[in-house]
Amino acid sequence: MVQRVAVIGAGIAGATCAQALAQAGHAVHVFDKARGPGGRLATRRMAWVDASGQPCTTRLDHGALGLEARSPAFQAFIDDGVRAGWLAEWSPRLATGGRPLERGTRFHVPVPDMPELCRRLLQGITATWSCTVDNLHRNPLGWQVESAGQRLGAPFDLVVLALPPAQAAPLLAPLQDEWARQAALSPMQPCWTLMGVATTAGTAPPRWDLARPAAGPLAWVMRSDARPGRARMHGQAHWVAHARAGWSRAHLEQAPDWVAQQLRAALAEQLGGPVEWLHSTVHRWRYALPPARRCAPAESCWWDAAQGLGVCGDFLGGRGVEGAWLSARSLATALLRHAGAPLTPACCEALP
Ligand SMILES: Cc1cc2nc3c(=O)[nH]c(=O)nc-3n(C[C@H](O)[C@H](O)[C@H](O)COP(=O)(O)OP(=O)(O)OC[C@H]3O[C@@H](n4cnc5c(N)ncnc54)[C@H](O)[C@@H]3O)c2cc1C
């Protein structure tokens, strides 16, 4: 029987789950508080004005650096994206003197920007943007999804929460005590991110596109415009620098101007001299990544068949984009078994 499914969250977890359910013939409606899909697979469209008063726009990938596969299933997903042309391998030149990459690391990035991956997954699926879901409750007609006292969409048979744990916890509290408690206790690391456009006039460009400084506030520095499919502008370098989790936590509530000053100074040190910024800004990710070493929950997703309620995301499936994707696929498998729907061939291929 066709199930009406509400998916809250349009990052890679929500988009993956939504696609698997829609391909199996269910009526899926996605809701996200942002203006479009992607979540932490993010590209900022930064508007600024140059010295001659000309308005300029620069796109900077200020969330996840890229996709890295450890499992054969995620590798196959990446290979499909590369064949279809919306994923490209990114082989950055690594700065010397910093921390090395893990052996065998291969990055892939969606083109032309990071949200493209979720846009592709959500093709043809109904979505409502700019709506923060703040209440879920069941009545005899089904699940009601609400935002600021307004009901969103028709009643639903099943609900999927694909959100960072701190954002899932308040929605779960009246519905699933134990999950709400576990979600509220799930640690997530914050990250302050500096992004901006610098002039390259009169300076020798660095011979690297990615750096992992061994010390100081910065964990990662990359040239966003050196990635596949990104626009390169003559005389400009587009920088994105992510602060370490410890530094970000220690300065989480500091004023953005102060943070920007600190991170610009750290980037200048990494580049070996002053940087002439045309425009720069910072973004605070309160929930960037689960810690690398942590006691992960036993299940890769949560599914309550009696209520028709499921939860997925990187905090359940493992750190990073791959973990979020694996978690979403586990949940989609559980939901499809529950729904008992005949799987279409495309959907069968998509599931483990
Ligand atoms: C700076 C940074 C660097 C990273 N680097 C890497 C990396 O190199 N490699 C890697 O694998 N991973 C990296 N990650 C982590 C990776 O981005 C995440 O693990 C992955 O994207 C999580 O996907 P998700 O779908 O679980 O969650 P999200 O992408 O966070 O999606 C959740 C969605 O839910 C929406 N939402 C939240 N609350 C509500 C609500 N109440 N109502 C409606 N919508 C809501 C949000 O707007 C968002 O779109 C990085 C993350 C950051 C921030």
Side-chain angles (χ1 to χ4, degrees), residues 8-15 31-34 36-42 62-68 70 74 107 118 129 131-134 162-164 167-168 171 188-189 191-193 220 242 285 287-290 312-315 318-325:
I8 324 291
I12 186 162
F31 300 94
D32 200 292
K33 67 177 183 173
R40 282 170 273 162
L41 287 172
H62 69 301
L65 275 79
L67 281 60
E68 302 145 70
R70 290 180 189 86
F74 195 55
F107 289 110
C118 295
W129 308 115
C131 61
T132 301
V133 174
D134 53 21
L163 315 170
Q167 288 159 332
L171 290 171
M188 290 290 278
Q189 294 176 331
C191 179
W192 271 111
T193 298
W220 294 90
H242 298 297
W285 295 99
Y287 315 112
L289 276 164
C312 59
D314 58 350
F315 76 105
R319 189 174 157 89
V321 180
E322 181 175 27
W325 184 83

Side-chain angles (χ1 to χ4, degrees), residues 77-105:
F77 171 76
I78 289 179
D79 292 343
D80 282 350
V82 171
R83 268 192 297 275
W86 50 271
L87 273 180
E89 182 159 4
W90 174 47
S91 311
R93 296 169 301 166
L94 193 67
T96 52
R99 288 176 303 143
L101 289 177
E102 244 175 69
R103 218 180 140 94
T105 300

Side-chain angles (χ1 to χ4, degrees), residues 192-220:
W192 271 111
T193 298
L194 169 73
M195 64 196 114
V197 182
T199 174
T200 54
T203 57
R207 291 170 186 275
W208 51 266
D209 313 310
L210 183 68
R212 299 187 72 197
L218 295 176
W220 294 90

Side-chain angles (χ1 to χ4, degrees), residues 34-281:
R35 276 176 295 175
R40 282 170 273 162
L41 287 172
T43 300
R44 169 77 64 92
R45 187 175 169 279
M46 195 174 73
W48 53 285
V49 177
D50 73 10
S52 64
Q54 277 290 108
C56 304
T57 305
T58 304
R59 290 172 182 273
L60 296 137
D61 299 334
H62 69 301
L65 275 79
L67 281 60
E68 302 145 70
R70 290 180 189 86
S71 65
F74 195 55
Q75 185 60 58
F77 171 76
I78 289 179
D79 292 343
D80 282 350
V82 171
R83 268 192 297 275
W86 50 271
L87 273 180
E89 182 159 4
W90 174 47
S91 311
R93 296 169 301 166
L94 193 67
T96 52
R99 288 176 303 143
L101 289 177
E102 244 175 69
R103 218 180 140 94
T105 300
R106 282 177 71 201
F107 289 110
H108 285 83
V109 294
V111 284
D113 61 11
M114 298 305 280
E116 180 64 12
L117 190 156
C118 295
R119 254 180 243 126
R120 292 275 173 165
L121 294 173
L122 291 172
Q123 256 171 12
I125 296 176
T126 307
T128 303
W129 308 115
S130 306
C131 61
T132 301
V133 174
D134 53 21
N135 191 26
L136 291 170
H137 63 94
R138 258 197 103 96
N139 66 21
L141 295 175
W143 283 105
Q144 310 291 324
V145 177
E146 292 180 359
S147 177
Q150 299 285 315
R151 206 184 74 193
L152 301 173
F156 296 94
D157 304 305
L158 310 173
V159 168
V160 168
L161 294 186
L163 315 170
Q167 288 159 332
L171 290 171
L172 289 170
L175 310 169
Q176 253 283 3
D177 241 14
E178 179 51 24
W179 291 358
R181 197 186 63 79
Q182 285 190 45
L185 290 175
S186 287
M188 290 290 278
Q189 294 176 331
C191 179
W192 271 111
T193 298
L194 169 73
M195 64 196 114
V197 182
T199 174
T200 54
T203 57
R207 291 170 186 275
W208 51 266
D209 313 310
L210 183 68
R212 299 187 72 197
L218 295 176
W220 294 90
V221 179
M222 68 157 184
R223 257 195 88 157
S224 191
D225 55 343
R227 285 149 65 87
R230 272 56 178 173
R232 277 199 111 138
M233 304 298 286
H234 181 69
Q236 292 182 5
H238 301 170
W239 292 108
V240 174
H242 298 297
R244 286 180 208 289
W247 191 94
S248 300
R249 192 174 303 106
H251 303 293
L252 198 59
E253 304 305 336
Q254 289 281 1
D257 283 352
W258 182 88
V259 172
Q261 209 177 15
Q262 303 298 312
L263 297 186
R264 280 196 300 255
L267 181 55
E269 195 169 318
Q270 173 66 33
L271 291 169
V275 181
E276 198 183 318
W277 291 101
L278 298 170
H279 188 77
S280 68
T281 187

Side-chain angles (χ1 to χ4, degrees), residues 308-335:
L309 177 66
V311 182
C312 59
D314 58 350
F315 76 105
L316 289 167
R319 189 174 157 89
V321 180
E322 181 175 27
W325 184 83
L326 289 168
S327 172
R329 285 175 39 108
S330 298
L331 182 58
T333 307
L335 278 160

